Short mmCIF file of all heavy atoms in Angstrom, two decimals:
data_model
loop_
_atom_site.label_atom_id
_atom_site.label_comp_id
_atom_site.label_asym_id
_atom_site.label_seq_id
_atom_site.Cartn_x
_atom_site.Cartn_y
_atom_site.Cartn_z
N SER W 120 9.48 100.27 157.95
CA SER W 120 8.95 99.38 156.92
C SER W 120 8.04 100.08 155.86
O SER W 120 7.91 99.57 154.75
CB SER W 120 8.28 98.15 157.49
OG SER W 120 7.19 98.56 158.25
N VAL W 121 7.46 101.16 156.30
CA VAL W 121 6.50 101.82 155.37
C VAL W 121 6.94 103.29 154.96
O VAL W 121 6.28 103.87 154.16
CB VAL W 121 5.03 101.88 155.99
CG1 VAL W 121 4.61 100.47 156.37
CG2 VAL W 121 5.01 102.86 157.13
N LYS W 122 8.05 103.70 155.66
CA LYS W 122 8.53 105.11 155.35
C LYS W 122 8.78 105.25 153.91
O LYS W 122 9.40 104.51 153.23
CB LYS W 122 9.77 105.31 156.14
CG LYS W 122 10.22 106.78 156.28
CD LYS W 122 11.29 106.92 157.29
CE LYS W 122 10.93 106.40 158.72
NZ LYS W 122 12.01 106.64 159.64
N GLY W 123 8.23 106.39 153.35
CA GLY W 123 8.41 106.69 151.96
C GLY W 123 7.38 106.12 151.02
O GLY W 123 7.22 106.49 149.89
N ARG W 124 6.52 105.25 151.67
CA ARG W 124 5.48 104.60 150.94
C ARG W 124 4.08 104.95 151.37
O ARG W 124 3.11 105.03 150.65
CB ARG W 124 5.57 103.07 150.83
CG ARG W 124 6.91 102.58 150.30
CD ARG W 124 6.90 101.11 150.12
NE ARG W 124 6.83 100.46 151.40
CZ ARG W 124 5.79 99.61 151.76
NH1 ARG W 124 4.84 99.35 150.95
NH2 ARG W 124 5.79 98.98 152.98
N PHE W 125 3.95 105.14 152.62
CA PHE W 125 2.74 105.41 153.28
C PHE W 125 2.60 106.89 153.72
O PHE W 125 3.62 107.48 154.17
CB PHE W 125 2.41 104.52 154.55
CG PHE W 125 2.11 103.16 154.19
CD1 PHE W 125 2.39 102.57 152.92
CD2 PHE W 125 1.75 102.25 155.16
CE1 PHE W 125 2.16 101.25 152.71
CE2 PHE W 125 1.48 100.83 154.98
CZ PHE W 125 1.62 100.36 153.73
N THR W 126 1.37 107.47 153.73
CA THR W 126 1.19 108.77 154.21
C THR W 126 -0.07 108.91 155.09
O THR W 126 -1.15 108.48 154.65
CB THR W 126 0.98 109.87 153.08
OG1 THR W 126 2.16 109.80 152.24
CG2 THR W 126 0.79 111.25 153.69
N ILE W 127 0.11 109.32 156.34
CA ILE W 127 -1.01 109.45 157.28
C ILE W 127 -1.46 110.89 157.23
O ILE W 127 -0.62 111.82 157.21
CB ILE W 127 -0.60 109.01 158.70
CG1 ILE W 127 -1.81 108.99 159.69
CG2 ILE W 127 0.53 109.84 159.28
CD1 ILE W 127 -1.51 108.47 161.01
N SER W 128 -2.70 111.06 157.23
CA SER W 128 -3.32 112.40 157.24
C SER W 128 -4.61 112.43 158.08
O SER W 128 -5.22 111.34 158.35
CB SER W 128 -3.47 113.00 155.89
OG SER W 128 -4.34 112.19 155.10
N ARG W 129 -5.15 113.59 158.30
CA ARG W 129 -6.42 113.66 158.99
C ARG W 129 -7.29 114.87 158.47
O ARG W 129 -6.73 115.84 157.96
CB ARG W 129 -6.24 113.82 160.48
CG ARG W 129 -5.51 115.14 160.82
CD ARG W 129 -5.21 115.20 162.28
NE ARG W 129 -4.74 116.56 162.61
CZ ARG W 129 -3.82 116.87 163.52
NH1 ARG W 129 -3.40 115.92 164.31
NH2 ARG W 129 -3.48 118.09 163.73
N ASP W 130 -8.55 114.82 158.69
CA ASP W 130 -9.46 115.90 158.44
C ASP W 130 -10.24 116.06 159.71
O ASP W 130 -11.20 115.32 159.93
CB ASP W 130 -10.34 115.56 157.23
CG ASP W 130 -11.22 116.76 156.84
OD1 ASP W 130 -11.53 117.61 157.72
OD2 ASP W 130 -11.61 116.85 155.65
N ASN W 131 -9.80 117.00 160.50
CA ASN W 131 -10.44 117.14 161.85
C ASN W 131 -11.95 117.43 161.75
O ASN W 131 -12.78 117.03 162.53
CB ASN W 131 -9.78 118.21 162.67
CG ASN W 131 -8.37 117.76 163.00
OD1 ASN W 131 -7.99 116.59 162.99
ND2 ASN W 131 -7.54 118.70 163.32
N ALA W 132 -12.26 118.29 160.74
CA ALA W 132 -13.71 118.65 160.59
C ALA W 132 -14.64 117.47 160.32
O ALA W 132 -15.77 117.50 160.59
CB ALA W 132 -13.79 119.68 159.53
N LYS W 133 -14.01 116.40 159.64
CA LYS W 133 -14.84 115.17 159.37
C LYS W 133 -14.63 114.08 160.30
O LYS W 133 -15.12 113.00 160.19
CB LYS W 133 -14.42 114.80 157.88
CG LYS W 133 -14.77 115.73 156.86
CD LYS W 133 -14.42 115.19 155.47
CE LYS W 133 -14.82 116.15 154.33
NZ LYS W 133 -14.38 115.72 152.98
#
Side-chain angles (χ1 to χ4, degrees):
S120 59
V121 308
K122 194 172 299 180
R124 300 188 297 118
F125 290 12
T126 302
I127 187 172
S128 63
R129 68 185 186 207
D130 186 333
N131 294 340
K133 296 180 179 179

